[in-house]
Each structure stands twice: as C-alpha cells, then as structure tokens.
Amino acid sequence: SHDPIRDKLRVNGATFLHQVLEHNRIFDRSDGSLRKQGYGLRLRSATRDDNGETQSLLTFKGPVQPGPIKSGDKKTTSQS
C-alpha cells in the first residue's frame, strides 16, 4: 500500500493534483541491433486523468555509462 507515503506527503504539506497514466512503447530494428548495442528508442504517452491532456515523448537513449548511478546520453523530443 502507498498509504504511509501519502500520509507523509500530506504531513509535509503536499497536495494531490492529478494522476497520469503512462504508456511506454519500445522500438528496435527487426534484428534487435539497437538493444544489442546498448541503445534504446522509446515512445512514452502520458495522459492526465483530470483533463485528458496527452503528451508524447520520443526518447533515444545511448549506452549506459559505468558508475554507481544508471546514466547515459539521452535525446528527447515532445509533442502535446
């Protein structure tokens, strides 16, 4: 349950605004070569529950860089 987290947010003055439903679609070449090389291509659509507004983001991710935090080059473009 997320109730304990919601309670802490409320205690600290947070106010619920709206929910967002995300759909993520992952693309690759037919031979899987993007994934094999450590690249990723994602189309994310996010729709707000309060007004139905949808935003789409296309993201190209480069290979993950070594280190304690997952990171890498990322290029994103959006369309509302």
Side-chain angles (χ1 to χ4, degrees):
S1 167
H2 294 112
D3 289 339
I5 295 170
R6 289 184 184 113
D7 291 341
K8 286 182 181 180
L9 288 167
R10 271 189 228 99
V11 166
N12 287 287
T15 303
F16 176 79
L17 298 177
H18 58 267
Q19 290 188 121
V20 176
L21 177 63
E22 285 187 0
H23 290 280
N24 293 294
R25 293 169 180 87
I26 309 301
F27 295 89
D28 201 342
R29 296 183 178 128
S30 59
D31 63 359
S33 60
L34 289 178
R35 183 184 53 79
K36 289 175 187 171
Q37 295 175 42
Y39 293 97
L41 183 61
R42 176 186 67 213
L43 177 61
R44 172 177 288 162
S45 297
T47 304
R48 288 176 50 160
D49 70 342
D50 60 340
N51 64 10
E53 178 182 311
T54 298
Q55 182 181 30
S56 297
L57 297 172
L58 182 64
T59 303
F60 180 78
K61 295 182 175 187
V64 174
Q65 301 300 312
I69 298 173
K70 183 180 175 183
S71 65
D73 189 32
K74 182 165 62 169
K75 306 291 183 208
T76 301
T77 186
S78 68
Q79 179 179 348
S80 297

